[in-house]
Amino acid sequence: MDFVAGSIAGATGQLVGHPLDSIKTRLQSESLLARGTNTASTSAYKCARNIYNEGGLRAFFRGLSLPLCSKSFEQCVAFGIQSAVDQLLEGMDVKEGTLRSGLSGMAAGSTTSLLLTPIYLVKVQLQVTPKGSLSGPIPVIKRTINKLGFFGLYTGAVPIFIGTSIGYGCRFMAYDKATHVADQSFGFGRIGSVIVGGGMAGMATWASHYPLDLVSSRMEASVALGGQQLTMTEHIKEIYAQSGVKGYFRGIGPCLLRAFPVNATIFLTYDLCKTNLT
């Protein structure tokens, strides 16, 4: 049941958050077009306006089909693995609480990253390229394999694995703590606590590993935008050379803005599905 509820929750959350995810990805990747310059200073508002000018509201949902399916699969795996590992840790007499939630969350994050890195690469490439240059997921896959070989589909795998493991650990730790505080200290009740806990969990996820997500997005986008293929370390150095420390947090505003409603939706949908389907 955890797998089914997670699948439905993931698809619902992706529909809510894809427009802001498109803005985040564009902001993370635009500096690739300004290597050696200081021109990568587009605000979230200007970025959103540029996307709108490319195709109206539909442009914000460009590349949705694949992440809609992948997000459903991702949350199916994440909630299923987290629940299974949590039960395993319970059987090992690990006390219920944030530590157990964190360990089970890290297991869920590492598993999803291994399965979904190629999906992330396709999504990012569709989001950062103008309409018409890449017509869908299949052309992106073919172009990547022709350019870099099969393992090119795993571009950005290292920062994704590290970041997702950290992020999902923080996600379930934050959810465990926030739902407890919301219910016990503020009397929000079950539904209110799930909404608050889910939203805070989403923000904790992204805040904990955002620089690694930015690096992986740049590595994935560079496949579509052309130019030299840099390693993770080279991207880290280049970001610092271009923008200093603040460069590692480029686009974090719309990312955190998106994180609360998306993850509140995901956790609420998951909770309601488990309650009504069992």
Side-chain angles (χ1 to χ4, degrees), residues 205-223:
T205 302
W206 285 104
S208 65
H209 81 288
Y210 188 83
L212 285 166
D213 180 73
L214 183 143
V215 170
S216 66
S217 290
R218 284 171 58 99
M219 292 176 72
E220 292 164 336
S222 66
V223 178

Side-chain angles (χ1 to χ4, degrees), residues 50-107:
N50 290 339
I51 294 173
Y52 182 82
N53 290 337
E54 289 177 9
L57 292 176
R58 291 183 62 184
F60 289 96
F61 292 91
R62 187 160 186 261
L64 174 62
S65 59
L66 195 59
L68 184 66
C69 296
S70 68
K71 194 68 173 180
S72 177
F73 179 65
E74 174 189 336
Q75 295 304 308
C76 165
V77 173
F79 279 107
I81 294 295
Q82 190 274 334
S83 178
V85 173
D86 186 70
Q87 292 176 24
L88 178 64
L89 293 172
E90 182 181 17
M92 297 169 63
D93 295 325
V94 178
K95 185 178 179 181
E96 183 177 9
T98 53
L99 174 61
R100 198 168 94 188
S101 297
L103 291 173
S104 58
M106 289 184 71

Side-chain angles (χ1 to χ4, degrees), residues 13-30 42-52 54 56-65 67 122-129 206 210 213 217 221 250-251 254-255 258-259 262:
Q14 186 63 38
L15 283 171
V16 171
H18 193 77
L20 282 170
D21 185 63
S22 294
I23 296 172
K24 172 191 77 79
T25 303
R26 282 287 187 94
L27 285 170
Q28 289 179 329
S29 306
E30 280 184 347
T42 305
S43 67
Y45 170 75
K46 289 181 179 179
C47 184
R49 189 174 61 184
N50 290 339
I51 294 173
Y52 182 82
E54 289 177 9
L57 292 176
R58 291 183 62 184
F60 289 96
F61 292 91
R62 187 160 186 261
L64 174 62
S65 59
V122 172
K123 175 185 75 71
V124 167
Q125 290 197 50
L126 287 172
Q127 287 176 322
V128 301
T129 52
W206 285 104
Y210 188 83
D213 180 73
S217 290
R250 180 173 175 78
C255 177
R258 166 186 176 271
V262 168

